[in-house]
């Protein structure tokens, strides 16, 4: 079983500041980290590998510093990593990104056929969640998003069953392999990596590919040129005003809340009749 | 099969990183283990980095290291409640290559320095705590970490784990600190615009200033405070020996608040925004507190070996120098294939022959004297302030009479003999 996990280096948005004048993310204000959802994606791939045997590869597109997230993935237990890094990729939106990554995946697959691709649900710096499905579409494999559990893998028959989160509940899905999953954080807990992985990661140097290493590529579909998305505006959501903080013991809080709700005419029909 | 390295270094502060850098440069197989998220993430320093010892490792480091400002002015304050007597030196030659020293923020500096060791070939593993040294037949053979499959082996383990060296204690090299052997320091990083800093400290672009503050900064207790300029922030901190703190029932953060609102200090900070609050111990026992620094398969460097000159606030430079000396000994030991205590004791000899132990020996009584006789900071600083005030107040008294009056008031308060004794004692401690 060969699983490829797509990972992204993102600024830690828990810390990042938005420049109030230009309304853009001030990327220097926050340390770069492995996108948290992607960390769970790697962990899940490693968990599956430990059950079925095989190889976990990670793939990232980014500047040379993005090697750090590949090393982080090796710590979690990935076997090898690929970074595609080139000026030509710069400024890519989700369309151009999924194109570039799918090209790299094709190349990886030529060497060792890929049975499954896993991505995080979305990257915390863009929140679009489009790259995973975009890759699946281009590779013509089924995308299954918001996965919270890989329930069963049936290698001989070449299929798997996963549980996905829906707004109103859960869904169990059976899909053929290869397929692409995007995962939620609930799918697993990141394990404290064993020491040999840490040493391996410290030593690891990933394969770095430029555009010309990817074989036949339509350069018009890469980077800024291949990106029709225009960011109209970025802003911090306005602080909600008003409201009332209910304090006290739980019982008191509940009573007060009920009193408030009961007084709201529009909430309960029996109040309307008055 | 767990891996075996030539050297495992515990702690990526200035001591450990220097050692890793030199060992790796010389082709040794080095593992550097750091418990922080990255080197420097937990480290605390007032912020003065000395050029000399750093330059011996990386020539012209100032061209690429993340430094804040070259220090061109050093001020010393003897501060009373509403006054201060100051002296200092400002020299433009310190603003040019090769510079004298720099202010730094350790979170950035340590990370950069560790990266240099990695480029030289050392392996750096972060977010990993070494929980104990592995000992076999009286010889340290490796370390145990808090990770699964956590044991790693090496010919030599270097303890660079900082002031409260738990590993040194585990090996019996260290005893628990006595409260007068260690100072507790708290410090705050305060963001302030570059322009405001330059204006308030009378500096130009890329010029820095340090102020050491004695006296009321510690409410007369044994210790000091400091105020240093970064690019667009200030480091302000204060510390006293743990014993003084206990005796005077001081709380460190209260002391820092007191300092920040002191009328002599407050104007420098006004409008600044608190960015970070840190607390850390400083080993101040000096010469007599230096533990055993070499054993079978193990050496101790930097703060872990208590190598700090409290009087001159030098620590990071001693850490670097000791790390380098340890590395040189380890390289020799590797050539000879002998990692016994007697082989590694070469490091001890180097250390005792160097400026580090000579400086520590020179001041070996200083902290103890100042601890035992608290009058220096408590009584003499205010006295000097009163004398200066009297001397510089123009009130029609002839200067000669003023001098007499000042002398009288000094000896009158304490008695001539006691004052002379105090002066002699202090002179002896630092001569
Ligand atoms: C407030 C303050 C102001 C100071 N001002 C100055 C100054 O202006 N100039 C100056 O030269 N010196 C100054 N010093 C002293 C200076 O900071 C120290 O002497 C210096 O940092 C010592 O370096 P080190 O590498 O020995 O230890 P540290 O810098 O303390 O590094 C020890 C490292 O080991 C790691 N570690 C510890 N235990 C473990 C473990 N079990 N496993 C893995 N990793 C571990 C720590 O995370 C840390 O990174 C100051 C100190 C303080 C507290």
């Amino acid at each position: 079983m060969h699983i490829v996990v797509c990972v992204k280096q993102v600024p830690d948005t828990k810390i990042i500041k938005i420049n109030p004048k230009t309304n853009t993310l001030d990327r220097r204000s926050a340390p770069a980290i492995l996108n948290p959802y992607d960390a769970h994606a790697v962990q899940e791939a490693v968990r599956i590998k430990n059950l079925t045997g095989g190889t976990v590869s990670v793939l990232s597109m980014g500047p040379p510093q993005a090697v750090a997230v590949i090393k982080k993935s090796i710590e979690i237990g990935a076997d090898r990593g690929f970074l595609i890094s080139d000026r030509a990729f710069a400024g890519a939106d989700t369309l151009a990104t999924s194109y570039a990554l799918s090209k790299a995946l094709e190349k990886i697959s030529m060497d060792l056929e890929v049975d499954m691709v896993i991505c995080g649900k979305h990257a915390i710096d863009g929140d679009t969640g489009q790259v995973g499905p975009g890759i699946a579409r281009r590779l013509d494999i089924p995308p299954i998003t918001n996965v919270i559990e890989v329930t069963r893998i049936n290698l001989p028959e070449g299929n798997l069953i996963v549980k996905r989160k829906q707004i109103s509940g859960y869904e169990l899905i059976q899909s053929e392999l290869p397929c692409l999953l995007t995962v939620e954080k609930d799918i697993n807990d990141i394990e404290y990596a064993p020491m040999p992985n840490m040493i391996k990661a410290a030593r690891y140097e990933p394969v770095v590919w430029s555009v010309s290493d990817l074989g036949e590529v339509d350069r018009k579909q890469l980077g800024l040129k291949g990106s029709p998305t225009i960011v109209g505006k970025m802003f911090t959501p306005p602080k909600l005003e008003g409201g009332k903080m209910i304090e006290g013991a739980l019982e008191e809080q509940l009573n007060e809340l009920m009193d408030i709700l009961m007084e709201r005419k529009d909430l309960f029909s029996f109040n309307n009749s008055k | 099969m767990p891996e075996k390295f030539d050297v495992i270094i515990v702690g990526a502060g200035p001591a450990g990183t220097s050692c890793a850098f030199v060992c790796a440069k010389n082709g040794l197989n080095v593992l550097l283990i750091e418990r922080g998220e990255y080197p420097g993430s937990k480290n605390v320093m007032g912020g003065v980095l000395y050029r000399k010892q750093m330059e011996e490792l990386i020539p012209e480091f100032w061209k690429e290291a993340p430094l804040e400002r070259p220090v061109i002015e050093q001020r010393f304050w003897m501060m009373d409640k509403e006054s201060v007597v100051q002296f200092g030196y400002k020299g433009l030659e310190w603003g040019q290559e090769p510079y004298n020293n720099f202010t730094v923020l350790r979170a950035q500096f340590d990370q950069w320095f560790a990266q240099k060791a990695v480029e030289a070939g050392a392996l750096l593993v972060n977010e990993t705590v070494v929980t104990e040294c592995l000992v076999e037949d009286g010889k340290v053979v490796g370390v145990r970490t808090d990770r699964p499959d956590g044991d790693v082996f090496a010919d030599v383990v270097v303890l660079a784990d900082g002031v409260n060296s738990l590993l040194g204690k585990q090996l019996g090299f260290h005893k628990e600190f006595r409260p007068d052997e260690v100072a507790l320091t708290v410090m705050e990083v305060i963001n302030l615009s570059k322009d405001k800093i330059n204006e308030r400290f009378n500096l130009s672009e890329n010029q820095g200033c340090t102020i050491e503050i004695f006296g009321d900064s510690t409410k007369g207790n044994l210790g000091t405070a400091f105020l240093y300029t970064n690019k667009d922030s200030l480091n302000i901190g204060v510390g006293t020996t743990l014993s003084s703190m206990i005796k005077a029932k001081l709380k460190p953060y209260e002391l820092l608040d007191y300092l920040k609102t002191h009328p002599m200090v407050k104007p420098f900070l006004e409008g600044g925004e608190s960015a970070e609050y840190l607390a850390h111990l400083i080993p101040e026992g000096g010469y007599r507190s230096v533990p055993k620094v070499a054993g079978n398969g193990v050496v101790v460097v930097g703060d872990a070996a208590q190598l700090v000159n409290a009087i001159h606030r030098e620590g990071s430079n001693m850490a670097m120098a000791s790390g380098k000396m340890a590395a040189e000994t380890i390289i020799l030991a590797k050539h000879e294939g002998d990692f016994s205590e007697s082989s590694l004791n070469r490091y001890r000899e180097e250390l005792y022959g160097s400026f580090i132990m000579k400086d520590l020996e020179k001041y070996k009584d200083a902290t103890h004297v100042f601890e035992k006789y608290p009058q220096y900071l408590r009584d003499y600083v205010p006295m000097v302030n009163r004398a200066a005030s009297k001397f510089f107040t123009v009130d029609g008294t002839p200067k000669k009479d003023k001098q007499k009056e000042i002398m009288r008031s000094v000896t009158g308060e304490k008695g001539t003999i006691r004052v002379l004794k105090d002066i002699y004692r202090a002179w002896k401690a630092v001569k």
Side-chain angles (χ1 to χ4, degrees):
Chain A
M1 178 103 170
H2 182 201
I3 309 174
V4 181
V5 186
C6 298
V7 298
K8 184 183 185 188
Q9 190 175 45
V10 294
D12 193 342
T13 48
K14 284 202 299 288
I15 302 173
I16 201 164
K17 298 190 180 87
I18 291 188
N19 182 330
K21 285 189 202 114
T22 58
N23 268 324
T24 50
L25 295 181
D26 179 6
R27 284 175 194 267
R28 281 166 318 164
S29 68
I33 57 168
L34 170 61
N35 180 42
Y37 291 95
D38 303 353
H40 289 274
V42 177
Q43 184 72 61
E44 192 59 18
V46 170
R47 195 188 66 83
I48 295 170
K49 179 192 84 170
N50 288 342
L51 293 174
T52 64
T55 304
V56 173
S57 308
V58 293
L59 167 64
S60 186
M61 179 174 92
Q65 309 86 279
V67 164
V69 297
I70 290 180
K71 283 179 173 258
K72 193 84 203 169
S73 306
I74 303 277
E75 286 178 9
I76 299 172
D79 299 289
R80 48 184 207 155
F82 303 87
L83 175 67
I84 58 171
S85 191
D86 198 308
R87 284 257 161 101
F89 297 133
D93 67 0
T94 53
L95 197 69
T97 303
S98 58
Y99 178 69
L101 289 175
S102 66
K103 284 292 158 193
L105 275 160
E106 278 169 11
K107 178 160 168 116
I108 292 172
S109 202
M110 276 193 285
D111 178 46
L112 182 66
E113 205 164 322
V114 178
D115 299 299
M116 191 194 295
V117 181
I118 309 184
C119 302
K121 175 174 93 164
H122 62 226
I124 56 169
D125 59 344
D127 281 10
T128 64
Q130 293 168 349
V131 169
I135 294 170
R137 179 72 190 82
R138 292 173 190 281
L139 297 178
D140 201 19
I141 57 174
I144 311 169
T145 55
N146 303 64
V147 172
I148 57 158
E149 183 183 286
V150 174
T151 316
R152 192 158 71 223
I153 297 195
N154 200 338
L155 268 189
E157 264 127 74
N159 62 38
L160 86 178
I161 296 174
V162 300
K163 189 171 171 185
R164 61 183 293 263
K165 192 152 116 184
Q166 287 264 39
I167 293 173
S168 54
Y170 300 103
E171 212 172 50
L172 275 186
I173 290 189
Q174 178 170 329
S175 164
E176 61 196 28
L177 290 170
C179 65
L180 180 143
L181 314 181
T182 77
V183 300
E184 301 269 357
K185 283 186 191 169
D186 316 345
I187 194 163
N188 54 37
D189 294 323
I190 306 283
E191 279 166 33
Y192 197 46
M195 194 60 185
N197 286 12
M198 301 300 288
I199 295 172
K200 182 180 172 196
R203 201 175 266 148
Y204 192 76
E205 285 177 27
V207 180
V208 182
W209 285 329
S210 64
V211 176
S212 49
D213 294 317
L214 292 185
E216 229 170 88
V217 172
D218 176 9
R219 284 181 176 258
K220 283 199 298 297
Q221 294 192 51
L222 293 177
L224 204 55
K225 262 186 276 169
S227 299
T229 310
I230 295 166
V231 177
K233 192 176 164 194
M234 248 217 245
F235 58 93
T236 350
K239 271 220 179 83
L240 293 178
E241 284 182 16
K244 181 176 167 134
M245 190 65 104
I246 301 176
E247 275 162 307
L250 188 59
E251 193 99 341
E252 292 160 27
Q253 288 185 39
L254 277 176
N255 286 338
E256 195 177 341
L257 178 66
M258 282 315 287
D259 288 347
I260 295 170
L261 291 178
M262 296 301 273
E263 271 171 30
R264 294 270 313 244
K265 293 207 172 59
D266 46 348
L267 270 180
F268 295 101
S269 50
F270 54 80
N271 276 342
N272 287 347
S273 59
K274 277 195 202 155
Chain B
M1 220 351 238
E3 259 193 85
K4 183 168 174 213
F5 290 84
D6 292 330
V7 199
I8 292 174
I9 297 163
V10 185
T17 299
S18 305
C19 189
F21 180 80
V22 177
C23 285
K25 266 241 140 89
N26 285 276
L28 265 53
N29 197 356
V30 180
L31 178 64
L32 177 58
I33 304 178
E34 166 59 44
R35 71 176 167 197
E37 198 182 331
Y38 54 85
S41 57
K42 290 188 173 174
N43 293 346
V44 184
M45 182 160 112
V48 178
L49 176 82
Y50 302 91
R51 186 233 328 147
K52 181 81 171 88
Q53 284 73 30
M54 187 64 212
E55 192 183 22
E56 278 171 9
L57 296 163
I58 301 179
E60 304 202 320
F61 65 94
W62 55 83
K63 295 198 164 139
E64 51 167 323
L67 305 168
E68 290 297 312
R69 295 172 182 241
V71 175
I72 65 140
E73 180 176 6
Q74 305 200 13
R75 301 182 199 169
F76 299 84
W77 282 12
M78 285 177 280
M79 190 165 83
D80 199 3
K81 296 249 174 323
E82 295 189 326
S83 64
V84 62
V85 174
Q86 45 180 320
F87 70 100
Y89 176 77
K90 180 173 186 173
L92 292 182
E93 79 280 10
W94 283 353
Q96 293 157 10
E97 290 192 15
Y99 306 100
N100 180 38
N101 52 40
F102 304 88
T103 51
V104 295
L105 290 166
R106 284 281 300 274
Q108 291 166 23
F109 180 81
D110 286 14
Q111 216 175 339
W112 171 84
F113 191 24
Q115 187 52 36
K116 288 283 138 188
V118 168
E119 283 165 24
L123 289 187
L124 169 66
V125 167
N126 292 318
E127 295 175 278
T128 302
V129 180
V130 171
T131 52
E132 60 180 299
C133 290
L134 298 169
V135 183
E136 262 171 35
D137 303 328
K139 180 186 178 313
V140 174
V141 293
V143 298
R144 175 157 295 163
T145 66
D146 64 340
R147 293 192 171 271
D149 295 330
D151 292 358
V152 204
F153 295 85
D155 287 330
V156 185
V157 172
V158 179
L159 305 186
D161 53 340
V163 48
N164 191 19
S165 175
L166 297 176
L167 300 173
K169 280 182 200 157
Q170 178 224 340
L171 293 179
F173 288 17
H174 267 278
K175 290 184 231 28
E176 285 294 334
F177 282 121
R178 285 196 325 264
D180 62 342
E181 278 181 314
V182 43
L184 179 56
T185 310
V186 288
M187 88 172 233
E188 208 172 311
V189 182
I190 296 180
N191 286 342
L192 190 68
S193 77
K194 191 185 270 179
D195 293 342
K196 285 229 169 73
I197 292 175
N198 291 350
E199 205 179 287
R200 288 178 194 178
F201 290 82
N202 190 23
L203 298 166
S204 304
E205 197 62 23
N206 208 29
Q207 295 185 337
C209 168
T210 62
I211 308 178
E212 315 293 333
I213 313 172
F214 305 89
D216 198 41
S217 54
T218 52
K219 297 193 175 168
N221 291 287
L222 178 56
T224 61
F226 56 85
L227 176 60
Y228 299 159
T229 57
N230 300 318
K231 275 201 184 88
D232 39 25
S233 60
L234 301 174
N235 284 0
I236 183 165
V238 58
T240 78
T241 52
L242 211 50
S243 46
S244 305
M245 227 167 254
I246 295 167
K247 226 184 291 164
K249 297 202 170 65
L250 293 173
K251 298 208 175 69
Y253 55 90
E254 283 173 3
L255 205 53
L256 184 58
D257 275 344
Y258 180 74
L259 177 68
K260 282 166 59 188
T261 50
H262 193 286
M264 297 295 115
V265 175
K266 199 173 161 209
F268 285 102
L269 314 177
E270 224 130 39
E273 201 182 293
S274 175
E276 233 179 317
Y277 185 89
L278 307 148
H280 208 271
L281 295 174
I282 305 181
E284 303 226 329
Y287 193 79
R288 294 202 182 90
S289 299
V290 174
K292 178 171 164 159
V293 296
N296 286 319
V298 63
V299 293
V300 190
V301 296
D303 272 14
Q306 317 296 299
L307 305 177
V308 166
N309 178 345
I311 303 281
H312 288 255
R313 59 119 159 78
E314 288 177 32
S316 62
N317 57 334
M318 298 191 159
M320 286 176 189
S322 64
K324 181 166 174 270
M325 282 178 228
E328 284 155 0
T329 293
I330 293 166
I331 293 160
L332 266 175
K334 170 85 187 163
H335 273 293
E336 294 167 1
D338 178 3
F339 305 100
S340 65
E341 178 167 342
S342 63
S343 163
L344 297 177
N345 249 335
R346 242 180 316 214
Y347 158 61
R348 185 177 188 278
E349 283 155 29
E350 289 286 321
L351 193 66
Y352 276 77
S354 73
F355 79 96
I356 297 181
M357 292 312 279
K358 285 187 181 146
D359 283 359
L360 293 191
E361 192 183 3
K362 170 164 149 55
Y363 294 121
K364 67 175 184 293
D365 295 319
T367 355
H368 309 286
V369 165
F370 293 129
E371 174 88 27
K372 197 156 162 212
Y373 304 98
Q375 59 265 43
Y376 291 102
L377 293 172
R378 202 189 54 208
D379 300 342
Y380 286 107
V381 169
M383 221 182 260
V384 168
N385 273 271
R386 283 196 299 275
S389 171
K390 217 172 258 174
F391 191 71
F392 292 123
T393 304
V394 177
D395 57 4
T397 319
K399 294 286 182 272
K400 208 164 193 165
D401 294 349
K402 274 201 177 191
Q403 274 168 6
K404 270 193 206 136
E405 202 184 314
I406 289 168
M407 279 316 289
R408 242 195 331 266
S409 78
V410 170
T411 49
E413 259 173 58
K414 295 219 157 231
T416 315
I417 303 290
R418 267 188 65 197
V419 171
L420 285 177
K421 258 167 103 177
D422 282 346
I423 292 174
Y424 175 69
R425 201 185 297 115
W427 174 77
K428 225 179 91 189
V430 301
K431 74 165 192 284

